[in-house]
Amino acid sequence: QKEVEQDPGPLSVPEGAIVSLNCTYSNSAFQYFMWYRQYSRKGPELLMYTYSSGNKEDGRFTAQVDKSSKYISLFIRDSQPSDSATYLCAIPNQAGTALIFGKGTTLSVSS
Amino acid sequence: NAGVMQNPRHLVRRRGQEARLRCSPMKGHSHVYWYRQLPEEGLKFMVYLQKENIIDESGMPKERFSAEFPKEGPSILRIQQVVRGDSAAYFCASSPSDRVGSPLHFGNGTRLTVT
């Protein structure tokens, strides 16, 4: 089993929709979870950072961690065309020396 | 306040040539990471370096690839005798800390095309 798995999509929604993006991971020892956003032809940029279980909210974005299910989610409320990008979940590797990324989910928000 | 700077943005090499990719980390960051991104494979970790030291190279191919981060100057990812399969986007990231879970700051990548 891969350390982190993510449905690549693509996902297409109309403007204003609520978007749910998800990843599963294999190692229950993971404590840090991140979401990065990558626009076309650009490098990934950190969007959300969470530690352990629970929810974290930042504007229209909510990151949720369910450690019992080894499941992490990113919710986007009132989605905008500017949210069109690839979203990658990331967790530290076993050695704690680097981040491992999911394959990314490509989101398209139409106006 | 410059972010992570990578150059060149685009690099074209013929099979058998050498490719050198450069990365200047954010100011104050002494930890550098190289990743490779292919359309169907996602972002794959290659190597983690601190100044003058390779800390984790578990993601680096055993042959033709090398990386360095000298005391002075940018980090360099070097690919010798490039093959078509090396065509990809190569991203560099930096962080100020080696703390587990420390967020990474990425550059905009070098897109290598091997003809």
Side-chain angles (χ1 to χ4, degrees):
Chain A
Q1 183 183 4
K2 290 186 177 179
E3 289 181 279
V4 59
E5 301 211 47
Q6 184 176 9
D7 184 346
L11 186 61
S12 294
V13 301
E15 184 175 356
I18 296 174
V19 176
S20 172
L21 305 166
N22 308 293
C23 286
T24 58
Y25 62 94
S26 58
N27 190 334
S28 56
F30 291 143
Q31 296 282 350
Y32 300 89
F33 308 90
M34 299 171 211
W35 285 95
Y36 280 76
R37 177 175 61 194
Q38 185 176 22
Y39 290 113
S40 181
R41 301 290 181 183
K42 298 287 187 182
E45 55 180 343
L46 180 66
L47 191 60
M48 297 285 282
Y49 178 104
T50 55
Y51 172 75
S52 195
S53 283
N55 291 1
K56 181 176 182 178
E57 192 172 316
D58 183 2
R60 297 185 293 109
F61 297 88
T62 300
Q64 190 175 79
V65 176
D66 182 347
K67 293 194 74 177
S68 62
S69 303
K70 299 180 191 173
Y71 200 80
I72 57 176
S73 302
L74 178 70
F75 298 97
I76 307 174
R77 290 185 300 280
D78 187 25
S79 56
Q80 303 294 310
S82 58
D83 295 330
S84 298
T86 298
Y87 291 80
L88 305 104
C89 58
I91 54 178
N93 65 357
Q94 194 87 2
T97 53
L99 291 181
I100 304 169
F101 287 83
K103 285 190 178 181
T105 301
T106 298
L107 171 67
S108 176
V109 181
S110 56
S111 56
Chain B
N1 184 20
V4 176
M5 303 300 291
Q6 289 189 251
N7 65 81
R9 287 298 309 274
H10 301 274
L11 182 61
V12 180
R13 285 286 178 267
R14 291 200 191 98
R15 278 179 298 171
Q17 290 185 319
E18 178 179 289
R20 280 186 176 235
L21 288 63
R22 293 175 187 77
C23 169
S24 296
M26 285 183 71
K27 189 175 181 180
H29 288 194
S30 59
H31 304 263
V32 166
Y33 307 77
W34 285 94
Y35 285 79
R36 176 165 63 179
Q37 188 172 42
L38 288 163
E40 301 303 318
E41 296 183 12
L43 201 60
K44 297 293 186 186
F45 166 71
M46 299 180 75
V47 62
Y48 163 39
L49 311 103
Q50 293 179 20
K51 285 285 187 181
E52 300 185 279
N53 289 304
I54 296 174
I55 306 302
D56 182 351
E57 57 181 348
S58 59
M60 285 275 270
K62 297 293 181 224
E63 298 177 349
R64 301 187 298 108
F65 285 72
S66 63
E68 63 176 9
F69 188 18
K71 189 176 180 181
E72 301 291 338
S75 175
I76 306 287
L77 179 67
R78 183 180 175 208
I79 311 173
Q80 295 178 291
Q81 299 173 328
V82 295
V83 301
R84 290 239 171 92
D86 296 333
S87 296
Y90 291 83
F91 289 95
C92 170
S94 71
S95 76
S97 166
D98 62 352
R99 180 176 60 84
V100 173
S102 183
L104 304 183
H105 302 263
F106 283 85
N108 282 326
T110 293
R111 278 152 185 84
L112 173 66
T113 302
V114 179
T115 62

